[in-house]
């Protein structure tokens, strides 16, 4: 008998011994203030990882590094909108293969704390809720609104039965399941909604599963965030008074394990605000205090990863999060081991045995260098190719959702109804540009409108001149009372005193076109543009992976010096948004797995404002080091570290 067969036989025997003996169990012990796993006192030291922000090929590497840090569990969110992009069309394959992710965690020896939402926050578009819920204009999200509940029931009816075999008591890794997320921070305060979810989860998962809630560690948040039957946990960051924070949990749960479900290892970023950095010493000190208190903890994030494509969220007043979700976490965006990683491991080691064995190294990066870029099409000149469904006409502008589009860009077109020989204000009096509009008149760029920031631009032109606004959805608000975040032109535009009418709107399928290589290459004539702004334009370049260097392709970062703002695709895959003109992120993570060693690698850039004009400077550059902390051009007021609202906090 081979060793392998002997091994699996042994495993089978062990498994059946287990199933014959004490069944696997996981529960809250209210007498001894702890969790119990298979009857034994148990405490978790967990870390957050979002599979939706990491390419599948790297899941194992990242999980292994988490295991080697001394964690015995991971925590992950399930973004509903990632799995059900249109109603009833589910995707659980490739990078969205949740079952494979859970199986990997299990095989590596990590338990799982699952956070299936339906709302997850997470700095993820609309907090994970699908934008199509907004088809009902006045829907009250995260409440007992019947249409919302019907959609939730259907989704959970698909998701939870898939999860059930992975519950700990069923032989899988999932020890606890969170219901909703920080519901106490939401204005609606609908206990019936929480009760409905609680029953729904139990009806699918059985009544043995430990269900819990998470809220900020202050009584104000617990008020609407907790109900009986769901175990109350809290979240707080380094520097908090740990004793005081757990006293808040004790107010709701006089007995049972202490749990910090989100202990912040870093913090999120916004375009235009300095990169968040949280000191390693502070993280280590507070983690030590939490573990010394005998508490369970989840480090949020242990690895942040990347908001590929259009998946980033935003905060209100409108401030979008960048493509990188590095989070200053112990494992970098690219999965590299940092000083913070080893400091955390050292603290954990005082409380738990650290696994022995080889630490998977940081993955090597390669600087492929500069790639010259050529202008191929303006968006307008490629409209026929980009707009599959053709234009839609209506008197007043329609939103993305009315047009049946969730993400990306829509072109809104009308004509000037009067002569504007003098500069005439084109305005969005109700702040309805969601989120940024690149404005042109008769093919000449005239300015940029931006939600909350720039609501008026002067235009000149003749009666009948063509007015185009390419409107960018920069990511839906994921937190607070404004998550019903409609995109596009969500209210009327005025020109002088006139409300603009008779719109022609083009839904753009840029991602489908680029993934099928259908954009093609025609140089089109373009009217001369003003000195500092151009029409939104596609650029293309390509590069080959050099021969004779071992272990290529490797991961890399793309940098766009002197470019302003846009979106970048490599081999038709959407890498995310760049905006070096605003900062702080300057490089985008590019995983090796999307690069080809046999074909030319294609880089496509949609520059929305202005590419470098001189052809010497019209290049992108692949580098080996990330830059996430460049200086910012304009600073907005945003959430303070670890605080859930402007002034409130811990
Ligand atoms: C499902 O998601 C995977 C991973 O993002 C993607 O490769 C695949 O094309 C998607 N399938 C469908 C049918 O959209
Ligand atoms: C932390 O909170 C506890 C309990 O509320 C209090 O007794 C203690 O003084 C606080 N410590 C500090 C340093 O503020
Ligand atoms: C603008 O042109 C349209 C179509 O030619 C015409 O009907 C309209 O009266 C003109 N408006 C003004 C204010 O000149
Ligand atoms: C538009 O033009 C008017 C008149 O020239 C000027 O007063 C105003 O500041 C301009 N507005 C913008 C937003 O440029
Ligand atoms: C635009 O204005 C028209 C006429 O006042 C009004 O009926 C319509 O509701 C407005 N549309 C939006 C989206 O505000
Ligand atoms: C272009 O320059 C004009 C005049 O200096 C300025 O008003 C405008 O904001 C600039 N546009 C951009 C996108 O920087
Ligand atoms: C890049 O584009 C060329 C031309 O369309 C195509 O032949 C090639 O396969 C593409 N490369 C990759 C890696 O998709
Ligand atoms: C950015 O981070 C790097 C690496 O941590 C550091 O060396 C550099 O000084 C930082 N730059 C800025 C502008 O903060």
């Amino acid at each position: 008998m081979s060793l392998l067969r002997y091994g699996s036989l042994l495993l089978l025997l062990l498994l059946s011994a287990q199933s014959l003996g004490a069944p696997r169990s996981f529960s809250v012990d209210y007498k001894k203030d702890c969790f119990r796993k298979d009857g034994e006192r148990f405490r978790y030291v967990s870390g957050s990882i979002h599979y939706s922000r990491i390419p599948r090929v790297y899941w194992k590497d990242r999980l292994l590094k988490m295991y080697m840090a001394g964690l015995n569990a991971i925590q992950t969110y399930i973004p509903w909108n990632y799995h059900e992009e249109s109603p009833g069309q589910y995707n659980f394959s490739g990078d969205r293969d949740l079952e494979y992710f859970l199986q990997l965690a299990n095989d590596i020896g990590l338990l799982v704390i699952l956070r299936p939402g339906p709302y997850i926050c997470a700095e993820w578009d609309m907090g994970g809720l699908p934008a199509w819920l907004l088809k009902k204009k006045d829907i009250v999200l995260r409440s007992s609104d019947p249409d919302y509940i019907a959609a939730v029931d259907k989704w959970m009816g698909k998701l939870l039965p898939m999860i059930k075999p992975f519950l700990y008591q069923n032989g899988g890794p999932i020890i606890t399941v969170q219901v909703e997320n920080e519901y106490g921070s939401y204005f609606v305060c609908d206990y019936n909604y929480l009760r409905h979810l609680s029953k729904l989860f139990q009806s699918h998962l059985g009544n043995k599963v430990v269900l819990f809630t998470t809220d900020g560690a202050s009584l104000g948040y617990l008020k609407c965030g907790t109900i009986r039957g769901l175990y109350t946990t809290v979240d707080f960051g380094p520097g908090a008074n740990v004793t005081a924070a757990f006293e808040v949990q004790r107010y709701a749960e006089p007995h049972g394990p202490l749990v910090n479900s989100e202990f912040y290892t870093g913090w999120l970023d916004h375009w235009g605000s300095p990169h968040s950095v949280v000191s390693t010493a502070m993280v280590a000190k507070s983690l030590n205090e939490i573990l010394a208190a005998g508490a369970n903890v989840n480090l949020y994030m242990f690895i942040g990863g990347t908001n590929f494509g259009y998946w980033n969220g935003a905060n209100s007043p409108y401030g979008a999060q960048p493509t990188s979700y590095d989070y200053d976490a112990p494992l970098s965006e690219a999965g590299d081991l940092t000083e913070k990683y080893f400091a955390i491991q050292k603290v954990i080691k005082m409380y738990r045995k650290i696994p022995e064995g080889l630490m998977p190294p940081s993955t090597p990066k390669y600087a492929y260098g500069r790639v010259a870029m050529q202008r191929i099409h303006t968006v307008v000149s490629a409209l026929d190719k980009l707009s599959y469904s053709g234009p839609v006409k209506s008197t007043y502008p329609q939103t993305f959702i009315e047009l049946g589009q969730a993400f990306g860009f829509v072109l809104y077109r009308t004509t000037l109804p009067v002569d504007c020989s003098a500069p005439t204000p084109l305005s969005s009096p109700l702040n309805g540009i969601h989120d940024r509009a690149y404005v042109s008149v008769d093919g000449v760029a005239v300015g940029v409108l931006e939600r909350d920031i720039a609501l008026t631009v002067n235009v000149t032109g003749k009666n009948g001149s063509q007015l185009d606004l390419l409107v960018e959805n920069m990511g839906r608000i994921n937190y607070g009372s404004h998550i019903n975040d409609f995109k596009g032109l969500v209210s009327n535009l005025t020109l002088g005193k006139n409300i603009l009418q008779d719109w022609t709107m083009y839904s753009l399928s840029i991602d489908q076109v680029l993934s099928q290589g259908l954009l093609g290459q025609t140089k089109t004539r373009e009217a001369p543009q003003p000195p500092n702004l151009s029409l939104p334009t596609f650029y293309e370049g390509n590069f080959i992976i050099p021969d004779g260097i071992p272990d290529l392709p490797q991961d890399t970062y793309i940098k766009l010096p002197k470019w302003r703002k846009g979106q970048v695709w490599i081999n038709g895959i959407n890498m995310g948004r760049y905006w070096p003109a605003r900062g702080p992120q300057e490089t985008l993570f590019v995983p090796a797995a999307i690069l080809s060693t046999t074909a030319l690698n294609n880089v496509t850039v949609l520059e929305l404002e202005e590419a470098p004009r001189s052809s010497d400077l019209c290049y992108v550059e692949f580098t080996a080091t990330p830059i996430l902390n460049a200086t910012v051009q304009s600073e907005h007021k945003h959430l303070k570290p670890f605080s859930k609202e402007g002034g409130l906090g811990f």
Side-chain angles (χ1 to χ4, degrees), residues 77-80 115-129 141-142 148 152 155-156 178-183 185-186 193 197 477-480 483:
Y77 276 132
I78 299 174
W80 177 5
R115 311 215 280 178
Y119 165 85
I120 62 170
C121 194
E123 287 76 68
W124 187 264
D125 186 81
M126 211 168 144
L129 297 176
L141 301 168
R142 307 177 69 193
Y148 174 72
V152 168
W155 161 238
M156 289 298 170
Q178 183 180 307
V179 176
E180 248 280 348
N181 185 57
E182 294 187 341
Y183 191 62
S185 310
Y186 191 54
Y193 166 54
L197 289 181
I477 292 175
N478 61 270
Y479 177 79
I483 53 174

Side-chain angles (χ1 to χ4, degrees), residues 608-624:
L608 298 163
E609 295 184 3
E610 167 132 287
R613 284 217 175 169
S614 125
S615 58
D616 297 355
L617 294 176
C618 197
Y619 62 82
V620 300
E621 187 171 2
F622 289 93
T623 70

Side-chain angles (χ1 to χ4, degrees), residues 5-278:
R5 293 222 3 231
Y6 178 74
S8 33
L9 191 66
L10 201 67
L11 193 69
L12 264 177
L13 284 172
L14 280 172
L15 283 177
S16 49
Q18 177 108 55
S19 56
L20 290 176
R24 284 162 68 99
S25 67
F26 195 87
S27 60
V28 169
D29 182 340
Y30 290 95
K31 290 210 182 75
K32 294 280 160 54
D33 295 338
C34 64
F35 286 117
R36 285 214 176 262
K37 180 167 152 286
D38 303 332
E40 301 287 319
R41 172 182 274 272
F42 176 80
R43 178 244 288 269
Y44 65 71
V45 182
S46 160
S48 281
I49 171 173
H50 300 156
Y51 60 92
S52 55
R53 289 184 158 123
I54 298 171
R56 173 193 175 109
V57 289
Y58 282 134
W59 289 349
K60 192 172 175 186
D61 173 76
R62 309 306 192 246
L63 290 169
L64 206 52
K65 286 170 179 160
M66 294 175 81
Y67 178 77
M68 294 302 289
L71 304 180
N72 56 4
I74 58 157
Q75 183 181 272
T76 198
Y77 276 132
I78 299 174
W80 177 5
N81 56 4
Y82 192 59
H83 294 290
E84 192 180 359
E85 287 206 57
S86 20
Q89 307 222 317
Y90 303 104
N91 189 343
F92 287 97
S93 65
D95 285 349
R96 307 180 201 217
D97 190 343
L98 172 63
E99 288 172 290
Y100 177 67
F101 179 78
L102 294 172
Q103 191 57 51
L104 271 180
N106 186 65
D107 295 349
I108 286 171
L110 289 162
L111 298 164
V112 174
I113 297 154
L114 198 70
R115 311 215 280 178
Y119 165 85
I120 62 170
C121 194
E123 287 76 68
W124 187 264
D125 186 81
M126 211 168 144
L129 297 176
W132 49 258
L133 289 169
L134 300 175
K135 279 183 191 161
K136 180 187 176 190
K137 274 199 178 126
D138 56 352
I139 194 166
V140 185
L141 301 168
R142 307 177 69 193
S143 81
S144 301
D145 181 307
D147 295 282
Y148 174 72
I149 291 293
V152 168
D153 287 355
K154 193 158 169 259
W155 161 238
M156 289 298 170
K158 169 80 184 171
L159 176 68
L160 297 178
M162 181 187 275
I163 294 311
K164 192 176 180 186
F166 291 91
L167 293 177
Y168 186 78
Q169 55 272 28
N170 298 337
I174 300 172
I175 48 174
T176 61
V177 177
Q178 183 180 307
V179 176
E180 248 280 348
N181 185 57
E182 294 187 341
Y183 191 62
S185 310
Y186 191 54
F187 70 103
V188 171
C189 197
D190 180 347
Y191 295 113
N192 286 332
Y193 166 54
L194 280 191
R195 276 192 283 267
H196 176 82
L197 289 181
S198 171
K199 273 195 229 130
L200 180 67
F201 279 41
Q202 277 179 21
S203 74
H204 288 295
L205 300 177
N207 56 12
K208 289 227 174 73
V209 59
V210 176
L211 298 177
F212 72 102
T213 58
T214 300
D215 280 286
S218 84
L219 294 180
Y221 293 129
L222 294 193
K223 180 166 175 286
C224 297
T226 65
I227 56 163
R228 207 176 319 145
L230 301 179
Y231 190 75
T232 302
T233 76
V234 291
D235 55 23
F236 57 88
N241 181 331
V242 170
T243 317
F246 282 131
E247 273 171 9
V248 172
Q249 190 198 344
R250 276 285 170 253
Y251 180 83
E253 295 290 358
H255 293 287
L258 296 175
V259 182
N260 181 352
S261 290
E262 290 187 1
F263 171 65
Y264 305 109
T265 61
W267 195 242
L268 53 140
D269 280 349
H270 295 98
W271 291 118
S273 297
H275 177 53
S276 303
V277 178
V278 174

Side-chain angles (χ1 to χ4, degrees), residues 434-479:
H434 289 192
D435 303 297
R436 226 163 176 261
Y438 306 89
V439 186
S440 61
V441 176
D442 284 337
V444 177
V446 297
V448 179
L449 295 173
E450 186 173 344
R451 181 174 182 177
D452 290 351
I453 290 175
L455 306 185
T456 296
V457 61
N458 280 336
V459 301
T460 55
K462 295 195 177 63
N463 180 4
S465 285
Q466 179 174 293
L467 173 69
D468 280 345
L469 293 97
L470 181 71
V471 179
E472 177 187 11
N473 165 358
M474 294 206 300
R476 290 186 185 79
I477 292 175
N478 61 270
Y479 177 79

Side-chain angles (χ1 to χ4, degrees), residues 501-514:
Q501 299 189 355
D502 300 326
W503 291 90
T504 304
M505 292 155 291
Y506 296 82
S507 262
L508 303 182
S509 306
I510 299 176
D511 290 86
Q512 288 89 321
V513 171
L514 292 182

Side-chain angles (χ1 to χ4, degrees), residues 395-399 402 430 489-493 499-501:
T395 307
Y396 301 107
Q398 298 185 3
T399 63
E402 286 168 320
L430 298 179
L489 296 183
V490 307
S491 60
N492 286 309
L493 289 191
I499 291 183
L500 288 173
Q501 299 189 355

